[in-house]
C-alpha cells in the first residue's frame, strides 16, 4: 500500500479522527477489525446460552423477567456488532458460517457450565463486569461504527452487571446454603473471568498494533488489573472469598497482586477443549438449522414485495 496513504491514515488516527466505512484504510486494519468485531459478536450470541439454561428455572417470576431481558439484550448486542462488522465488507452469512464450522473464536468464558442459579449472579457481576471494563474504552475505538455500537451496549451492560451483583447480594445474605452456593459460583467464575482479558501482554499477538491504531486503548494486563482492583472490594462487601490465596493489596503499586493465571487452560479452551465448547457450538448449529424456515419465509416475503414493486 502506498506509503503516503499509510502515513495519512496514521496521522488521522493520531488526530483522534474516526475512520468511517467509506474511508481508505490499510487492509490489515480492516482485517483485524473484522477479526475482533466478529469474535465480539459471536461472543454475544454464544454468551446467551449459559444464561438461557436458567430462564425456565429462575426462582421467581421477577428473576425470570430480568434474566429474559438480559439474554434478549445480548442478542441485540450481537446483531449490533455483526451489523458494524458488515460495514467492513463481510457478509453476515460468512460470519455465521465461520462460527458454526468452528473456524471463528468467541470468548472463552462462555465455555464453562452454569450448574446453579448463583452462576447467573456470578456471570452478571463478573463476566458483564469484565465486559464493561473492556467495552468502555472501545467506545473510543478509532473505527466509527464499532465505537458507536459500544455506547448503547455499555449502558445495557451496566444493568446486566447490577442485576448479577444484586443476585449475589441476596444469596450472600441468605441462608448458609445460599451463601455456599454463591461462594461456589464465585470459585467457578473468578479465574475464567480474568482470562476474558486475553493472554498476558508479552504473549498478545495483536495488542501493539491494535494500540497504535487506537482500536485497543489499554493493554490486556492493564484492563485485567483494573477489573481485579474494582472487584475485590465488591467480593469483600458480599462477605465472599476470592479463590486466589496470593491476592494481596500492594500499598506500593496501589494495586492488588494476584496469583498466576492458568494460561494453559485459556489456550485449551480457545482451542476448543473447554468444558462446554462442543455443546455450545451444537446449540448454535441446531438453532441455525431449526431457524431455516424463518429465513426462507422472510426471503420469500421479500421476493414477493420486490416483484409487486417491479410490476
Ligand atoms: N477467548 C477467546 N479467544 C481469545 C481470548 C479469550 N478470552 N483472549 C484472546 N483471545 C484470542 C484472540 O482473539 C487472538 O486470536 P486471533 O488472532 O485468532 O483473533 C489471540 O487469542 C491472541 O490474543 P490478543 O490479545 O493478541 O488478541 P486481541 O488483541 O484481539 O485481544 C480481546 C483479545 C481483549 C478479547 C480483544 O479481542 C477484545 O477486546 N475484543 C472485544 C471484546 C470482546 O470480544 N469481549 C469478549 C466477551 S463479550 C461479552 O462478554 C459480552 C457480555 O455482554 C457478556
Amino acid at each position: 500500500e502506498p506509503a503516503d496513504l499509510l502515513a495519512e491514515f496514521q496521522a488521522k488516527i493520531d488526530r483522534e479522527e474516526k475512520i468511517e466505512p467509506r474511508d481508505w484504510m490499510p487492509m490489515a486494519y480492516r482485517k483485524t477489525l473484522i477479526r475482533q468485531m466478529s469474535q465480539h459478536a459471536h461472543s454475544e450470541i454464544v454468551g446467551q446460552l449459559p444464561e438461557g439454561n436458567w430462564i425456565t428455572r429462575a426462582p421467581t417470576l421477577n428473576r425470570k423477567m430480568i434474566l429474559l431481558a438480559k439474554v434478549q439484550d445480548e442478542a441485540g448486542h450481537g446483531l449490533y456488532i455483526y451489523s458494524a462488522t458488515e460495514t467492513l465488507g463481510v457478509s453476515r452469512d460468512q460470519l455465521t458460517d465461520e462460527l458454526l464450522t468452528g473456524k471463528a473464536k468467541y470468548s472463552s468464558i462462555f465455555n464453562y457450565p452454569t450448574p446453579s442459579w448463583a452462576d447467573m449472579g456470578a456471570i452478571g457481576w463478573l463476566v458483564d463486569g469484565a465486559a464493561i471494563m473492556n467495552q468502555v474504552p472501545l467506545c473510543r475505538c478509532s473505527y466509527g461504527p464499532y465505537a458507536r455500537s459500544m455506547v448503547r451496549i455499555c449502558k445495557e451492560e451496566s444493568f446486566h452487571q447490577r442485576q448479577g451483583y444484586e443476585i449475589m447480594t441476596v444469596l450472600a445474605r441468605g441462608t448458609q446454603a445460599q451463601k455456599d452456593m454463591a461462594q461456589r459460583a464465585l470459585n467457578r467464575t473468578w479465574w475464567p473471568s480474568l482470562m476474558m482479558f486475553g493472554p498476558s501482554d508479552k504473549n498478545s499477538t495483536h495488542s501493539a498494533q491494535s494500540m497504535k491504531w487506537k482500536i485497543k486503548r489499554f493493554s490486556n494486563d492493564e484492563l485485567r488489573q483494573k477489573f481485579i482492583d474494582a472487584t475485590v472490594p465488591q467480593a469483600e462487601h458480599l462477605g465472599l472469598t476470592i479463590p486466589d490465596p496470593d491476592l494481596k493489596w500492594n500499598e506500593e503499586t496501589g494495586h492488588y497482586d494476584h496469583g498466576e493465571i492458568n494460561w494453559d487452560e485459556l489456550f485449551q479452551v480457545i482451542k476448543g477443549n473447554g468444558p462446554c465448547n462442543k455443546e455450545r457450538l451444537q446449540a448454535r448449529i441446531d438453532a441455525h438449522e431449526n431457524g431455516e424456515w424463518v429465513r426462507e419465509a422472510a426471503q420469500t416475503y421479500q421476493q414477493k414485495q420486490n416483484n409487486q414493486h417491479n410490476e
Side-chain angles (χ1 to χ4, degrees):
E1 285 151 334
D4 59 335
L5 275 180
L6 283 167
E8 171 42 31
F9 175 80
Q10 189 59 51
K12 219 170 153 182
I13 297 271
D14 296 343
R15 288 195 302 268
E16 293 288 343
E17 282 178 37
K18 286 281 178 270
I19 307 299
E20 295 300 336
R22 288 198 179 81
D23 293 346
W24 184 86
M25 60 184 85
M27 272 311 287
Y29 178 81
R30 183 185 301 275
K31 194 162 160 270
T32 204
L33 278 170
I34 291 174
R35 172 191 67 81
Q36 174 166 332
M37 291 166 70
S38 57
Q39 287 168 12
H40 197 160
H42 296 325
S43 301
E44 301 282 3
I45 298 302
V46 175
Q48 299 173 83
L49 295 168
E51 291 170 313
N53 184 27
W54 281 92
I55 290 175
T56 54
R57 301 180 172 90
T60 66
L61 185 60
N62 196 35
R63 290 293 184 200
K64 183 201 270 280
M65 286 194 302
I66 294 172
L67 187 58
L68 207 49
K70 176 186 190 301
V71 172
Q72 215 170 339
D73 279 352
E74 309 295 8
H77 295 176
L79 295 184
Y80 250 47
I81 306 172
Y82 279 133
S83 302
T85 314
E86 286 173 87
T87 65
L88 289 159
V90 65
S91 77
R92 180 76 57 89
D93 286 346
Q94 182 190 335
L95 297 176
T96 304
D97 181 63
E98 286 168 2
L99 174 65
L100 300 185
T101 54
K103 272 211 286 300
K105 288 189 172 73
Y106 57 86
S107 187
S108 51
I109 186 69
F110 298 121
N111 289 307
Y112 289 83
T114 50
S116 82
W117 171 252
D119 291 286
M120 295 305 102
I123 284 180
W125 170 35
L126 299 173
V127 174
D128 290 79
I132 291 171
M133 280 298 169
N134 167 284
Q135 290 171 163
V136 165
L138 281 172
C139 294
R140 293 187 296 119
C141 163
S142 57
Y143 188 56
Y146 195 23
R148 290 188 291 272
S149 75
M150 281 299 122
V151 175
R152 174 168 162 185
I153 287 177
C154 285
K155 288 194 180 99
E156 292 175 346
E157 214 69 272
S158 308
F159 144 60
H160 300 172
Q161 198 269 355
R162 298 308 308 155
Q163 63 83 38
Y165 192 66
E166 201 263 336
I167 290 175
M168 294 302 268
T169 307
V170 168
L171 294 173
R173 292 183 183 153
T175 63
Q176 190 55 49
Q178 285 175 316
K179 185 165 182 174
D180 294 348
M181 185 167 70
Q183 182 61 59
R184 284 195 299 274
L186 172 53
N187 295 345
R188 267 193 293 278
T189 312
W190 175 254
W191 291 100
S193 298
L194 299 191
M195 295 176 200
M196 281 174 71
F197 292 94
S200 60
D201 292 351
K202 59 183 186 308
N203 296 327
S204 172
T205 331
H206 303 286
S207 279
Q209 184 58 65
S210 290
M211 290 182 85
K212 198 162 175 312
W213 279 333
K214 297 189 180 173
I215 295 170
K216 200 178 250 189
R217 294 283 184 165
F218 298 96
S219 76
N220 297 358
D221 291 335
E222 280 171 330
L223 283 184
R224 191 177 358 254
Q225 187 63 59
K226 272 171 85 162
F227 172 71
I228 293 169
D229 292 347
T231 309
V232 172
Q234 292 173 344
E236 284 167 357
H237 181 72
L238 291 173
L240 296 178
T241 311
I242 285 183
D244 176 2
D246 299 323
L247 192 71
K248 202 161 77 52
W249 179 253
N250 183 325
E251 205 43 58
E252 241 166 80
T253 61
H255 296 293
Y256 282 92
D257 293 332
H258 60 85
E260 186 56 15
I261 289 172
N262 182 341
W263 298 115
D264 187 51
E265 178 180 332
L266 173 58
F267 295 129
Q268 282 306 320
V269 176
I270 292 178
K271 262 210 316 257
N273 306 324
C276 301
N277 293 57
K278 291 183 186 39
E279 177 188 335
R280 299 290 184 236
L281 214 45
Q282 194 53 53
R284 289 314 312 153
I285 291 164
D286 295 348
H288 190 72
E289 285 166 2
N290 298 338
E292 176 70 30
W293 66 274
V294 176
R295 291 191 296 278
E296 255 170 35
Q299 280 151 6
T300 308
Y301 175 76
Q302 190 56 50
Q303 197 52 50
K304 277 192 189 144
Q305 295 290 89
N306 298 346
N307 295 346
Q308 274 164 10
H309 183 72
N310 298 338
E311 273 154 19

